[in-house]
Amino acid sequence: MALTGLDIYKQLPKKNCGECGVPTCLAFAMALAAGKAALSSCPYVSDAAKEMLDSASAPPIKKIAFGAGVELGDETVMFRHEKTFYHPTTVMIRVSDNLSAEEIAARVAEVNDLEFDRVGLHYGVEGIAVTNDSGDAAKFAAAVSVASGALAENKSMVLLTEDAAALKGALEPVAGRKPLVGSATAANFEGMVEVAKAAGVPLIVKAAGLDALAELADKVVAAGYKELVLDPVTTETSKALADLTQLRRLAIKKKFRSFGYPVLAYTSKENPLEEIVQANVYLAKYASMLVINAVKKEHVLPLLTFRVNLYTDPQKPIQVEPKLHAVGDVTPDSPVYVTTNFSLTYYTVQGEIEASKIPSYILAVDTDGTSVLTAYAAGKFEPEKVADLMEKFEVASKVNHKKVVIPGYVAVISGKLKEKSGWDVVVGPREASGIMSFAKANFGS
Amino acid sequence: MAVTLVKERWQSRVGEVILGATPEQGGTRSHTITVGGDGTLPFLHFEGTVANRPVVALEVNDVEPDWSPRLKEYYADVINNPAAWAKKCVDEYGADLIYLKLVGANPEGANRTPAECAQTVKDVLAAVSVPLIVVGCEEAEKDNEVMAAVAEAAAGENLLIGLAEQENYKSITAAAMVHKHSVIARSPLDINICKQLNILINEMGLPLNKIIIDPMIGGLGFGLEYAYSIMERARLGSLVNDKMLAMPMVCTPGYEANRAKEANAGIEDFPAWGDLHDRGTMWEALTATSLIQTGASILLMRNPEAVKLVKQNIEELMVSNA
């Protein structure tokens, strides 16, 4: 709920002293409402007014930063089509302090390697969560130290224990990594707040049940700390979906301050496939961070790929420039392929052409970032349009042949395209996966 | 301190569609399956009715399909026999329904006659007792002939037949009306075309509770988010009483997920993507489970291991969270 200039004006001292750089308090209020001024430039505003204005202008879900550039929260909508989701769910891999030093180092090495390249994108997990399963402070500190030593610089850490003294001991040597720490419970929160506050790191607040969680979050805030991440203790999939939905709704629709923080979810499944399916529910429905056990590439890649899908800005369909692209060292003999400018279609085609090792041109038709079938169904892959583009990008001057390859799915436009462009139209494979053998058969030397 | 939960009061609900018909109803199925009917967003039991669980149909083809060897392994012994294939899907792989694709009708392929296609449908009906979804070969003219023959041969079975599209919906809609079936109305990721098509079909006289929407999804990593948002919007529309968007939705994760290189390329070619077996399974499973979070009612799938995961996920989500 944004305040209007008048709402803000009511809270100002109305001295019209001009010391803030704006001649009147009303003008200053208007500037504040427009986000063009900061309340701190008024020397006379009362603390009560400050508190009220600060909280009213705060985002519904606070942004929490830690580690090597991780940002959680600061979401503003329930559905991505309403605007977009901003901060992709952070995924952390659990590392238990019950493991030996060698096992920890090996597991962290696996985590470092959880980085993927596909369709022109690079993505990976954000780091590790070291858990004090042993219940032993010295063991925890040793595990954290080994894990930190093995962890790549660009990854981040979460330290999880319910023993404030154990946290303090483990945190000190790795404080430079700015880890997220936890977990503050009803029993230990005073000590945990002290440790987190002293180190300047955000703190996880953990309580089962939304009533208990709100109560504890309020207590932690009253104890003087607001850098928080909420842990509603997710165990059962359906209940977790309900809790995560309520946390997001209360924060966004009701501006319920006790829940105005990012939310963390844990998986409860042992089988990695079942675990990823469960994690997928929490990723879809509102977890800002996930702690999972699965560490194999084949399990983690699908989950992170869904994250890419979900957090793609719906206002900006992912497209490549609609033009004639060269793949490899093209020559006048190089084949010419036509596809859409939807980046996923384009990069899939490009990948296959690269793999065929035959340098080629790709003419990316502007289909507003839709795939071949969708574009054709919507009248965005018409022969006239393709012919115009061929002319616009002077394809004829780039190659010494007159042969253009179109996707198999739009075979039906071949006659018309030939007529409009005067080029021979070769119907290529329907799926990009067929390009390799198609290229070898048609253009191989 | 008691937190006051936010519960939306939705004015309406998703329409219900019944698939299949028992002998008393003029068919031969052992039971019918009802989809749709939810009065809230997916699985929010605390807020409204979650009437019917999403169901999974396994795909059966009438000719050997061009699938990856990894997928075909599950069906190696039945791949040339649609009836046996369907039976295996139900008996061994837990399919709620069978999704029969009459690819063999394609004039560029096996070019089977409408009568031959109708016989295949009868064979599959005889082999399994679950309701059937039947589509043609995606060659519009031929499909109109084939689906008319299929609709007649299976009159009274209340098949779910497809595909009705904006440019070609009349013939299949008429066949469904005459022979008492339901239709899949497919629109290319466009909520306005989706509505328009439902209106056109309805105007011909097919009741709204005989229409299922296919919004044309993209697979995981390949534009899944487009369908994800279209489907969320359709579900929200149905809850605020937009009757022309209030049909249950069918999705094709089996086809879309397995088209991706990520579901087909071996670890030897892409070591950084991990082992193919589980990767392929997860590609299809997550495509499906993501979409049930938006309101998908029928999932058309291929990989039995993915089906097992998806059905378990559905089971867990059907537990009340009120």
Side-chain angles (χ1 to χ4, degrees), chain A residues 80 117-118 211 214 237-238 246 249 253 269 280 285 298-299 305-306 309 344 348 352 369 409 431, chain B residues 1 3 6 8 46-47 221-223 225 229 255 259 261-262 273 275 278 289-290 293 316 319 321:
Chain A
R80 59 186 290 284
D117 287 287
R118 54 176 293 281
D211 294 347
T237 314
S238 178
Q246 282 297 342
R249 277 187 181 178
K253 299 176 92 109
K269 305 276 184 183
N280 191 60
K285 296 293 165 71
E298 59 268 29
H299 303 140
T305 302
F306 175 62
N309 283 142
L344 295 169
T348 312
E352 295 297 328
Y409 278 119
E431 300 288 344
Chain B
M1 183 181 68
V3 175
V6 187
E8 306 284 353
F46 65 79
E47 173 168 279
F222 290 90
E225 70 273 20
S229 285
Y255 170 71
R259 218 145 87 80
K261 183 181 234 165
E262 287 79 352
W273 288 356
D275 186 62
D278 282 2
T289 57
S290 301
Q293 284 301 322
E316 287 172 17
V319 173
N321 52 32

Side-chain angles (χ1 to χ4, degrees), chain A residues 80-81 84-85 118-119 121 305-319 342-344 369, chain B residues 189 216-233 287 290-291 294:
Chain A
R80 59 186 290 284
H81 66 258
T84 185
F85 293 161
R118 54 176 293 281
V119 297
L121 301 171
T305 302
F306 175 62
R307 177 174 80 177
V308 171
N309 283 142
L310 190 70
Y311 282 85
T312 298
D313 186 345
Q315 299 154 117
K316 297 181 206 140
I318 28 175
Q319 306 177 16
F342 179 36
S343 76
L344 295 169
Chain B
L189 276 177
M216 283 185 88
I217 64 160
L220 182 66
F222 290 90
L224 177 72
E225 70 273 20
Y226 290 84
Y228 191 92
S229 285
I230 295 265
M231 291 171 67
E232 280 196 324
R233 287 171 62 195
T287 302
S290 301
L291 294 171
T294 70

Side-chain angles (χ1 to χ4, degrees), chain B residues 89-198:
Chain B
C89 288
V90 175
D91 294 350
E92 285 182 38
Y93 298 145
D96 297 313
L97 305 97
I98 291 300
Y99 167 49
L100 175 61
K101 276 174 104 165
L102 299 169
V103 180
N106 199 315
E108 308 278 308
N111 200 17
R112 300 232 168 105
T113 63
E116 286 170 321
C117 293
Q119 187 55 49
T120 305
V121 173
K122 283 181 150 174
D123 293 345
V124 173
L125 280 168
V128 297
S129 65
V130 299
L132 244 60
I133 302 169
V134 184
V135 301
C137 62
E138 303 227 15
E139 209 282 312
E141 264 177 55
K142 182 69 180 279
D143 279 353
N144 286 342
E145 292 174 43
V146 166
M147 294 315 298
V150 166
E152 187 177 356
E157 291 283 8
N158 192 16
L159 306 176
L160 177 59
I161 57 175
L163 298 162
E165 298 188 278
Q166 199 183 20
E167 301 304 323
N168 187 33
Y169 65 91
K170 289 184 181 157
S171 156
I172 197 158
T173 302
M177 282 164 58
V178 174
H179 302 292
K180 301 201 165 36
H181 303 296
S182 304
V183 299
I184 299 175
R186 186 170 85 168
S187 47
L189 276 177
D190 183 314
I191 206 150
N192 297 315
I193 297 177
C194 171
K195 264 179 96 158
Q196 176 66 15
L197 181 58
N198 293 335

Side-chain angles (χ1 to χ4, degrees), chain A residues 172-423:
Chain A
E172 256 161 26
V174 300
R177 278 194 177 266
K178 290 276 165 208
L180 169 65
V181 302
S183 299
T185 64
N188 72 8
F189 75 92
E190 279 140 332
M192 297 298 277
V193 166
E194 202 175 300
V195 175
K197 212 171 167 180
V201 294
L203 176 66
I204 295 164
V205 175
K206 171 185 169 182
L210 297 185
D211 294 347
L213 187 59
E215 193 177 323
L216 183 59
D218 290 351
K219 280 186 186 161
V220 170
V221 170
Y225 209 47
K226 289 183 173 179
E227 294 295 307
L228 310 180
V229 173
L230 305 176
D231 170 8
V233 190
T234 51
T235 49
E236 188 266 307
T237 314
S238 178
K239 182 77 181 103
L241 172 69
D243 284 351
L244 292 168
T245 302
Q246 282 297 342
L247 284 161
R248 172 70 76 95
R249 277 187 181 178
L250 281 157
I252 286 180
K253 299 176 92 109
K254 298 290 172 196
K255 269 220 164 187
F256 184 63
R257 300 311 312 176
S258 313
F259 290 163
Y261 305 95
V263 177
L264 142 73
Y266 295 95
T267 49
S268 61
K269 305 276 184 183
E270 285 184 15
N271 173 306
L273 286 86
E274 293 172 19
E275 185 196 19
I276 295 294
V277 167
Q278 188 185 42
N280 191 60
V281 173
Y282 302 162
L283 206 154
K285 296 293 165 71
Y286 311 130
S288 291
M289 184 169 106
L290 282 169
V291 176
I292 64 171
N293 292 306
V295 74
K296 292 267 179 284
K297 286 169 173 293
E298 59 268 29
H299 303 140
V300 176
L301 173 63
L303 182 68
L304 296 189
T305 302
F306 175 62
R307 177 174 80 177
V308 171
N309 283 142
L310 190 70
Y311 282 85
T312 298
D313 186 345
Q315 299 154 117
K316 297 181 206 140
I318 28 175
Q319 306 177 16
V320 296
E321 203 183 330
K323 64 166 194 181
L324 190 68
H325 297 263
V327 182
D329 296 323
V330 287
T331 68
D333 295 318
S334 295
V336 179
Y337 294 87
V338 179
T339 189
T340 80
N341 77 326
F342 179 36
S343 76
L344 295 169
T345 306
Y346 176 83
Y347 281 112
T348 312
V349 170
Q350 190 212 42
E352 295 297 328
I353 290 175
E354 260 169 13
S356 78
K357 300 197 166 49
I358 300 171
S360 307
Y361 286 101
I362 306 177
L363 183 66
V365 178
D366 184 359
T367 58
D368 297 327
T370 56
S371 65
V372 173
L373 269 181
T374 314
Y376 179 67
K380 291 174 183 166
F381 208 109
E382 298 299 303
E384 293 81 3
K385 189 168 176 179
V386 178
D388 286 351
L389 266 192
M390 289 170 66
E391 197 147 314
K392 183 171 168 199
F393 294 106
E394 298 169 342
V395 185
S397 72
K398 304 274 168 53
V399 294
N400 59 14
H401 60 84
K402 290 201 120 190
K403 228 193 234 178
V404 60
V405 184
I406 61 168
Y409 278 119
V410 291
V412 13
I413 72 167
S414 56
K416 196 83 179 277
L417 180 58
K418 182 173 179 171
E419 185 187 307
K420 294 277 167 196
S421 65
W423 285 49

Side-chain angles (χ1 to χ4, degrees), chain B residues 53-64:
Chain B
R53 73 185 57 218
V55 293
V56 176
L58 269 167
E59 178 177 334
V60 170
N61 285 212
D62 64 341
V63 290
E64 184 171 337

